[in-house]
Structure formats: structure tokens, C-alpha cells
Amino acid sequence: MTSAKTLPAAAPPRFASIGSPYFGIMMALMAVVLILSNIGASKGVALGPIVTDGGFFLFPLAYILGDVISEVYGFKVARKAIVTTFALSVFASLCYWIIIALPGFDDEFGASKQAALEGALGPVPQIVLASLLAFFAGQTINSWILVKMKARTGEKSLWARIMGSSVAGEFVDTLIFCSIAASVIGITDFGTFVNYVLVGFLYKTLVEFLFVPVTALVIGWIKKREPSYGAVRQAA
């Protein structure tokens, strides 16, 4: 009696090391996008019946960069980029606090500038708290799912990895962020809050879906130019 054939185990997913300049450039871009979106998020925006904030057009770019980093470099490196981005965002918030606290000129111009700074940058620490919790949870889930799917499919099904991970990550991110940030931008009733959450989730997910072809092209471009791509293998 012949024994049943065993299927070969799936090869560990391939990634690149972070020795080339590409990772540093993408991490820097992610940090800048997050810091700017935190400032923009302190302003509530009403586009007809749609309620959102001033950072709505920036934040999806951070997730697109997160997808690229996760796909090319793996979960451990993506987590390092997330933590570094958080640290820089906290540093920016501390700088805003110091700038506002510093004594300014006593004339009318100085008073108006102080009021403008307090109005624009004052709410940012709470926005940063919302962003820290939401971005950490959402990006971690997004990266983890993408890498887990890559472990099952290898280099195939890139679009499915990007889209599947984005839905989960963006939902968690949006729910956490909106729950903390809503009061800062003036959202106080439940109906407007639900509008804020749904619009944010659908918009961010739609943008990521629309940019999937571009994201896939960027990933392919970097993979071809990363000297170490395929040399690093991580267990699923």
C-alpha cells in the first residue's frame, strides 16, 4: 500500500532588507503625511450633507505607503515605520505646545497671531492621541493581514491583498479616530457622528481601491530595484 503524497509546504514569503534608500524615503513621506493630516483634522469640513475633516485628502496616502512597505519589506519593518511615524507625530505635537506656550508680543498683531496659533494647533494634541491609537491599530491590522495573505499566495493576488487588508485596517482606524476626535472638531450629536464615521471609512477605502493600480505599479517598481528583494524570508 502506497503512502499518500504530502504536498510541499508553502515557501516563506519574500521581502527586502532596509539597506537601500527606498524604505527611508517612504517612511519619511508617511510621517509627513500623518503630521499634516493631524493638523488638517482639527478643522471640521462640511461638503453639503457630507461631514469630514480637513485631513481627509491626505490620510489615505499614509495607508497606501503602509501597503507598499508591508508588501516589500514585511510586517516587522512596517511596524518599525509605524512606531517611528508615531514618535515623530508626538514630537511635532510637543513642538506645537511649546510654541503656543512661549510668551509673544503684547501688541494687537502679536495677540492675533497667538489666537490663530491656539485655534489652529491647540486641538492637535487630542487629534494626535486619536491618530496614535487609530493609526497604530489600523496600520498594524492592515500590515498583518497583507503579510498573512502573502504567506498563502506568494507573489500572486497582490490586488486582493491590498484591498482585503485595507477594508479591515481602515474600518478600525476610522472608528477609533472618529470616536476620539469628533468632539475636537465640533461633532456632538450621534447622527452627525455616524455620518462622520461612515463617510470617513467609505472615502478612505474608496481612495485606496481607486489607487490600487498605482500602488501595485509602485510595489512592482520598487521590487525590481530593491537589490535585496527575495533575499529576506519571514515566517508567516
Side-chain angles (χ1 to χ4, degrees), residues 2 4 10 17 34-35 45 56 59 62 73 76 80 85 105 132 146 150 158 167 169 173 206 225 229-230 232:
T2 58
S17 67
L34 183 60
I35 290 170
V45 174
F56 78 95
F59 197 74
Y73 301 98
K76 291 181 180 178
K80 180 182 294 185
T85 299
F105 297 149
L132 285 173
L146 189 148
K150 184 174 182 178
L158 174 60
V167 170
D173 183 288
L206 178 61
R225 286 160 179 79
Y229 186 75
V232 177

Side-chain angles (χ1 to χ4, degrees), residues 126-146:
Q126 187 170 338
I127 296 294
V128 169
L129 173 63
S131 181
L132 285 173
L133 297 177
F135 193 71
F136 181 82
Q139 275 282 16
T140 301
I141 289 172
N142 177 76
S143 176
W144 184 81
I145 291 176
L146 189 148

Side-chain angles (χ1 to χ4, degrees), residues 90-111:
V90 170
F91 175 71
S93 184
L94 289 174
C95 289
Y96 303 149
W97 179 79
I98 293 171
I99 291 168
I100 291 173
L102 288 172
F105 297 149
D106 294 330
D107 58 9
E108 184 178 348
F109 179 76

Side-chain angles (χ1 to χ4, degrees), residues 10-16 76 228 230-236:
R14 297 184 297 157
F15 298 103
K76 291 181 180 178
S228 64
V232 177
R233 295 178 181 270
Q234 297 178 8

Side-chain angles (χ1 to χ4, degrees), residues 16-26 72-73 222 225-228:
S17 67
I18 58 176
S20 75
Y22 299 111
F23 169 72
I25 292 171
M26 287 187 289
V72 177
Y73 301 98
I222 294 176
R225 286 160 179 79
E226 265 292 3
S228 64

Side-chain angles (χ1 to χ4, degrees), residues 8-214:
R14 297 184 297 157
F15 298 103
S17 67
I18 58 176
S20 75
Y22 299 111
F23 169 72
I25 292 171
M26 287 187 289
M27 186 172 66
L29 287 173
M30 181 186 289
V32 170
V33 166
L34 183 60
I35 290 170
L36 291 177
S37 65
N38 286 341
I39 297 173
S42 64
K43 175 181 178 178
V45 174
L47 302 171
I50 296 175
V51 177
T52 183
D53 57 62
F56 78 95
F57 67 97
L58 281 168
F59 197 74
L61 297 178
Y63 266 79
I64 291 171
L65 288 165
D67 286 339
V68 177
I69 292 173
S70 300
E71 173 67 23
V72 177
Y73 301 98
F75 179 69
K76 291 181 180 178
V77 174
R79 186 171 55 191
K80 180 182 294 185
I82 294 167
V83 172
T84 303
T85 299
F86 286 163
L88 291 172
S89 185
V90 170
F91 175 71
S93 184
L94 289 174
C95 289
Y96 303 149
W97 179 79
I98 293 171
I99 291 168
I100 291 173
L102 288 172
F105 297 149
D106 294 330
D107 58 9
E108 184 178 348
F109 179 76
S112 65
K113 291 293 289 183
Q114 178 69 16
L117 283 170
E118 291 176 358
L121 301 180
V124 165
Q126 187 170 338
I127 296 294
V128 169
L129 173 63
S131 181
L132 285 173
L133 297 177
F135 193 71
F136 181 82
Q139 275 282 16
T140 301
I141 289 172
N142 177 76
S143 176
W144 184 81
I145 291 176
L146 189 148
V147 173
K148 281 291 184 180
M149 292 178 70
K150 184 174 182 178
R152 296 176 64 89
T153 61
E155 295 297 308
K156 300 178 181 179
S157 306
L158 174 60
W159 286 36
R161 289 199 294 277
I162 295 172
M163 296 171 75
S165 62
S166 296
V167 170
E170 290 288 12
F171 178 75
V172 171
D173 183 288
T174 305
L175 183 61
I176 295 174
F177 180 82
C178 292
S179 298
I180 300 173
S183 61
V184 178
I185 66 172
I187 295 175
T188 55
D189 63 279
F190 183 72
T192 307
F193 172 74
V194 172
N195 186 321
Y196 185 34
V197 173
L198 290 179
V199 168
F201 168 66
L202 293 175
Y203 165 76
K204 293 172 187 176
T205 305
L206 178 61
V207 169
E208 284 214 55
F209 281 9
L210 291 176
F211 273 84
V212 164
V214 178

